Every structure is written in C-alpha cells, then in structure tokens.
Amino acid sequence: MANKNVLEGLQIPEHIALILDGNGRWAKKRMMPRTYGHAQGSKNVEKICRAAYNMGVKYLTVYAFSTENWSRPDEEVETLMKLLNNYLKDCIKQTTKNNMRVRVIGDISRLDVKMQEKIKELEELSKKNTGLNFQVALNYGSRDEILRAIKRIVVDYNHKALTLNDIDEKLFDNYLDTKGIPDPDLMIRTSGEQRLSNYLLWQMAYTEFYFTDVLWPDFSEKDLEDAILYYNSKERRFGGVK
C-alpha cells in the first residue's frame, strides 16, 4: 500500500501513459502459459486506474493491443481478444459506478463487429462522466495513427475545408485519435524494456520516461508512486532554458 503522505505537495502528472509489458514473462516464471499472464495482467488495470485517480491523475492511457500484435501466435491473439472483449463488457458495467470516462484510440475497423459496437456503447455511456479519463489503445500504432490523420487532412484539403496555411501542430492534433486529450506528462513501461514500441510518438515529444523492471501483473500502487516521485525529480523545460 502506498503512503499517501509521500506525494503530498508534489506535482502529479495530469496524464500518464502506460505500456503494460511483461505478462508473458510473468507467466513463464510460474511455469504457466503466456495467456495466463495476460489474464492476470488485465486484472491489474482496474486497480492501477483507481490508484492513479486517488493520487490526482486525470488521464490514464494504456497500450492494450498494438497493430503489430496481430503477428503473435493465433492462440495468443485469440486469448487477448477474448480478454479485451470481456474487459469492455465489465467496463460498461463499472463506468457509471466509478464515474470514469472511457475512450478507445486506434483503428477499431479491424476488430470484430460486436466489439466495435461495445466500444461505441462504452464511449457513449461514459462521455459525461467526470472522474478519471481512461484511454485504451486498441489495434493502435502511432505510425498508423499519423498516416490516418494525414489522409483525413488531404481529404479535407481536397474538399477545400482547409488551406495549406491552416495546417499547423494544433490542427494536426485535432486529426489524431487523441483529439481533446492532453499529451502525456509521464510514460511508464514495465518489465525492463526501454523503447516506445510505436506508442504515441507524436504526443510524447516532451514526455518524461520511466522504466521499471517490475512485470506488469506485479505493478502496484507503490510502483506507481515511485514513478511519480521520479517524475518530480525532473525539470521539464520543453526545449527551453530555465
């Protein structure tokens, strides 16, 4: 259990992005299949959402399934899809209770039609909630997101909905999946890997990165607290000089 007094008076990141890594290794250490690790990892998400909100975090984005994850073994992809489907069902039940707004970022067109319907239902049901803003990156890849944004800009340009002079960073932001969501202040990746893996590349231009060896199913409220303490040790200059 984290000590609430430790964070008192500190700067709490408005938006934290998470890469939930290490489920397979966690399972292997216990001589269990990778799918078991994914199941245990999914159970940890709600706990960390609650802890983050209680600490004062307003936005939390998790990397649930990337555009590259389709290349994994069929059994693992099928299990991940079942877990995500079940999570969406549970999220629909829990969103009102927890006053949490849920949005899915990524290209959902490749997902099962019923899953797409659940996503739309969840986003509509929770859009007026005022608690934690929770984003799930599902069939998400930052390069894919940027290309989709560019294509929409080209279409609008061809329809004379905008001019070349209109295109700047602010306009481009509005064509991304994260429209209306502030850029992450802190990115946390579990399991010791130190790369972004095609995650929020545009949005994390000035994000602070925190890498931990803790495997995602073991990542606790105390580990989240440690990441926020690390964040407070950094001086954020956004390319300027202080």
Side-chain angles (χ1 to χ4, degrees):
M1 179 68 69
N3 184 347
K4 295 180 180 179
N5 294 328
V6 170
L7 300 181
E8 188 174 348
L10 296 183
Q11 184 71 36
I12 303 300
E14 180 182 29
H15 182 180
I16 294 178
L18 279 167
I19 298 180
L20 319 179
D21 203 6
N23 292 331
R25 275 165 282 175
W26 184 90
K28 186 177 181 181
K29 285 174 64 176
R30 290 158 178 78
M31 293 180 289
M32 298 292 286
R34 288 174 58 84
T35 51
Y36 176 72
H38 291 308
Q40 295 305 307
S42 68
K43 293 178 181 179
N44 199 32
V45 173
E46 185 178 356
K47 181 177 72 175
I48 296 303
C49 280
R50 190 182 308 115
Y53 183 64
N54 288 339
M55 291 176 186
V57 175
K58 295 180 180 178
Y59 295 82
L60 187 71
T61 303
V62 299
Y63 207 4
F65 191 90
S66 76
T67 50
E68 291 77 25
N69 285 158
W70 296 105
S71 64
R72 292 187 176 189
D74 290 344
E75 181 184 0
E76 185 172 348
V77 171
E78 184 178 346
T79 297
L80 283 168
M81 285 296 125
K82 285 181 180 178
L83 286 170
L84 288 165
N85 198 38
N86 290 336
Y87 183 77
L88 289 170
K89 284 182 184 177
D90 185 60
C91 223
I92 289 171
K93 297 175 185 177
Q94 296 295 326
T95 184
T96 302
K97 174 186 173 184
N98 296 329
N99 192 29
M100 183 169 68
R101 181 177 183 180
V102 183
R103 280 170 278 193
V104 173
I105 63 172
D107 181 7
I108 68 169
S109 65
R110 188 173 175 181
L111 304 176
D112 178 86
V113 173
K114 290 184 178 180
M115 187 178 289
Q116 293 181 45
E117 290 173 353
K118 285 189 181 73
I119 289 169
K120 292 172 184 176
E121 179 185 356
L122 177 57
E123 291 183 330
E124 181 64 26
L125 181 68
S126 67
K127 69 180 183 180
K128 293 183 180 179
N129 290 345
T130 57
L132 180 70
N133 289 272
F134 181 52
Q135 293 73 233
V136 181
L138 185 51
N139 193 31
Y140 176 87
S142 190
R143 291 180 175 180
D144 176 71
E145 175 192 30
I146 290 169
L147 287 173
R148 286 187 284 108
I150 291 170
K151 289 175 182 178
R152 288 195 293 271
I153 289 173
V154 170
V155 169
D156 284 351
Y157 174 77
N158 287 337
H159 285 86
K160 301 189 184 305
L162 54 85
T163 68
L164 284 179
N165 289 334
D166 293 328
I167 301 173
D168 57 14
E169 288 188 17
K170 184 176 180 180
L171 180 135
F172 193 76
D173 280 341
N174 288 331
Y175 281 83
L176 294 171
D177 298 344
T178 51
K179 176 183 178 181
I181 298 168
D183 291 343
D185 302 292
L186 174 65
M187 189 283 293
I188 302 170
R189 181 167 188 155
T190 57
S191 88
E193 301 294 344
Q194 298 188 18
R195 57 181 179 273
L196 291 181
S197 298
N198 198 18
Y199 185 43
L200 299 172
L201 302 180
W202 173 274
Q203 296 87 341
M204 292 203 291
Y206 286 103
T207 299
E208 300 296 336
F209 297 159
Y210 179 81
F211 301 103
T212 174
D213 290 334
V214 176
L215 303 177
W216 172 248
D218 289 330
F219 189 84
S220 66
E221 183 177 349
K222 176 61 169 60
D223 294 314
L224 179 61
E225 180 184 272
D226 289 343
I228 293 176
L229 289 171
Y230 171 84
Y231 172 78
N232 274 266
S233 74
K234 298 298 178 180
E235 184 180 6
R236 306 189 74 203
R237 296 188 295 273
F238 301 96
V241 177
K242 291 185 179 180

